[in-house]
Amino acid sequence: MRISDEEFAARRSAFAARLEERGLSGAVLFDPHYVHYYTGFFFIPTERPLAFALAADGRGGMLVPRLELEHAQMNTAVQEVAHYDEYPGERHPMEALRELLDALGVRGALGADADGYPWIFGYRGPGLGEWTHIADLVEDQMAIKSPAEIALLRESCVWGNLAHTLLQRYTRPGVTETEVERRASNEATSSMLDAIGPRYRAQSLWFDGALAAYRGQIGRNAAIPHAHANNIVFEPGDVLVTGATAPVWGYHSELERTMVIGPASDDQRRFFAHMVALQDLAIGAIGPGVPCAEVDRVVRAYYDEHSLWDSWRHHVGHAIGLRYHEGPFLDRGDPTEIRPGMVFTVEPGLYAPSLGGFRHSDTVAVTDDGVDWLTYYPRDLESLTLPV
């Protein structure tokens, strides 16, 4: 139920080799997901700087504030953990970072994901001076999921599926989205803890436990792809766009469905059928060696053929993993070649302000000869029609 120390070590070794190829003596990473990816240490970022440093010869270390020291020592796959007292403190934490880099032998050209710790939660600090942006190396490595990562994503799908099942079961006219979401998510989380109990860790900055929600995408609000929850009361005829997930050791899947309360109208049926056809096309186009842009172009051709551009709002999908949005993107502007081990959410949508929104999202893993569906919730209108 977690990534092994051996896999973390292999990640660091591969990253160090890429740094050496670029002529860099080492790198420092501040992004919490990057730190998590290479060390296994999950933390809540605050004004107190925290960083992972890696030398091109493979030696690694972490810088943490004093309040995180024991936490990091117990939970990181990196042996050397340096710390400073506090921020702001009498001595700026970036001085401790320079000492850590010196101790690791990182004295030449330096790679980093940002020019110093980000200015968040009131933090202010100096930049790194001379440095090279190497976030692309991290992103490229993170894009190819290992069998262990895909196993965690598959486990996430199991509990997202349960949460969505309960969400659908409890939705009915006259109750609010808040009531239904909380009941479904709480019950699914309780069932998950009964099943995998002490092994479970969320390790997510956004979610904890199994979650299913509407996020306000109810009725005409369903035509707003990123609406917000508003404690809306369900009514007969509503189009509903859902979302469900369950972070498992930091890994997030994505399941979304379009549902209708009561018999669907002719327009609702038409949009629903187009939406399913668009998703079928997109998933059918995904495979090793195919550029991400080509998947979007295939879907765009369907919009052209059926005059659906008034209902277009966004690209086909994105990668997913430690973050619920990752690159590469199924977008005509992304030439990245799809490779085995990549995991995508596939979610072309249709949005009509007078009617609602129509979007399924499924999480699929790219294999040597196609895709493996990790999510498995019903996709047909009959299964997604709720009684009045």
Side-chain angles (χ1 to χ4, degrees):
M1 291 296 295
R2 66 183 295 271
I3 303 299
S4 69
D5 287 350
E6 291 76 16
E7 182 163 330
F8 284 119
R11 291 175 181 178
R12 293 194 298 272
S13 293
F15 184 38
R18 295 297 306 278
L19 294 174
E20 190 171 28
E21 288 173 7
R22 288 203 177 177
L24 300 172
S25 64
V28 58
L29 302 175
F30 301 102
D31 183 282
H33 296 101
Y34 294 172
V35 175
H36 187 190
Y37 181 73
Y38 289 110
T39 70
F41 180 54
F42 174 75
F43 64 96
I44 300 171
T46 69
E47 73 279 3
R48 301 173 178 93
L50 195 151
F52 163 62
L54 183 71
D57 64 7
R59 290 180 298 155
M62 287 185 59
L63 175 71
V64 301
R66 177 63 187 85
L67 67 82
E68 292 277 20
L69 180 59
E70 289 81 9
H71 184 200
Q73 289 172 333
M74 290 187 297
N75 292 281
T76 180
V78 177
Q79 290 183 338
E80 183 167 352
V81 181
H83 74 278
Y84 58 91
D85 288 341
E86 180 58 289
Y87 174 82
E90 292 184 324
R91 189 175 73 128
H92 197 282
M94 288 300 100
E95 293 183 33
L97 177 61
R98 292 189 185 94
E99 291 174 359
L100 174 61
L101 292 171
D102 284 341
L104 293 173
V106 181
R107 298 186 179 90
L110 177 68
D113 60 342
D115 188 13
Y117 189 72
W119 285 30
I120 59 172
F121 290 85
Y123 169 81
R124 300 183 185 188
L128 296 174
E130 293 285 333
W131 66 288
T132 299
H133 210 304
I134 45 79
D136 60 315
L137 297 181
V138 182
E139 293 286 336
D140 289 347
Q141 191 173 349
M142 290 177 69
I144 308 299
K145 270 58 178 182
S146 69
E149 290 178 286
I150 291 175
L152 291 174
L153 286 163
R154 196 183 300 276
E155 186 74 14
S156 171
C157 291
V158 169
W159 302 110
N161 194 88
L162 174 60
H164 196 288
T165 298
L166 297 173
L167 186 82
Q168 180 171 348
R169 180 179 301 167
Y170 298 145
T171 298
R172 63 183 185 277
V175 298
T176 70
E177 62 173 319
T178 307
E179 296 173 78
V180 173
E181 290 169 357
R182 288 188 175 179
R183 183 180 179 187
S185 299
N186 289 342
E187 288 186 18
T189 298
S190 294
S191 296
M192 178 178 65
L193 295 177
D194 284 342
I196 60 178
R199 294 182 297 169
Y200 176 69
R201 300 289 186 276
Q203 294 194 339
S204 169
L205 293 177
W206 306 286
F207 313 115
D208 186 11
L211 173 75
Y214 289 102
R215 200 174 59 188
Q217 295 177 101
I218 298 165
R220 292 185 178 181
N221 275 6
I224 303 172
H226 282 185
H228 298 284
N230 279 297
N231 198 33
I232 298 171
V233 178
F234 299 109
E235 298 180 2
D238 279 345
V239 175
L240 314 172
V241 178
T242 67
T245 188
V248 177
W249 282 98
Y251 287 84
H252 304 75
S253 61
E254 182 174 286
L255 166 67
E256 295 177 346
R257 287 294 181 264
T258 299
M259 305 194 297
V260 180
I261 300 180
S265 68
D266 290 343
D267 282 343
Q268 288 170 342
R269 287 183 176 276
R270 180 170 62 87
F271 271 82
F272 190 99
H274 279 310
M275 177 266 295
V276 172
L278 284 163
Q279 195 190 33
D280 285 341
L281 271 176
I283 293 176
I286 295 172
V290 177
C292 287
E294 180 59 24
V295 180
D296 198 22
R297 282 193 284 266
V298 167
V299 169
R300 285 171 172 269
Y302 187 96
Y303 279 88
D304 282 334
E305 180 183 355
H306 297 276
S307 301
L308 294 170
W309 281 108
D310 285 347
S311 299
W312 179 90
R313 296 292 184 276
H314 54 74
H315 56 210
V316 170
H318 53 83
I320 192 167
L322 284 175
R323 297 158 299 179
Y324 64 90
H325 273 236
E326 293 186 353
F329 303 92
L330 300 176
D331 185 290
R332 64 178 177 173
D334 192 332
T336 304
E337 182 180 292
I338 295 173
R339 296 168 58 192
M342 289 183 173
V343 178
F344 292 99
T345 68
V346 188
E347 49 182 322
L350 293 167
Y351 305 92
S354 63
L355 189 64
F358 298 80
R359 183 180 70 248
H360 286 354
S361 180
D362 282 278
T363 302
V364 301
V366 182
T367 65
D368 290 335
D369 56 3
V371 299
D372 179 11
W373 290 63
L374 303 184
T375 44
Y376 50 91
Y377 205 82
R379 300 169 63 235
D380 62 288
L381 181 57
E382 181 179 1
S383 298
L384 297 168
T385 299
L386 282 60
V388 175

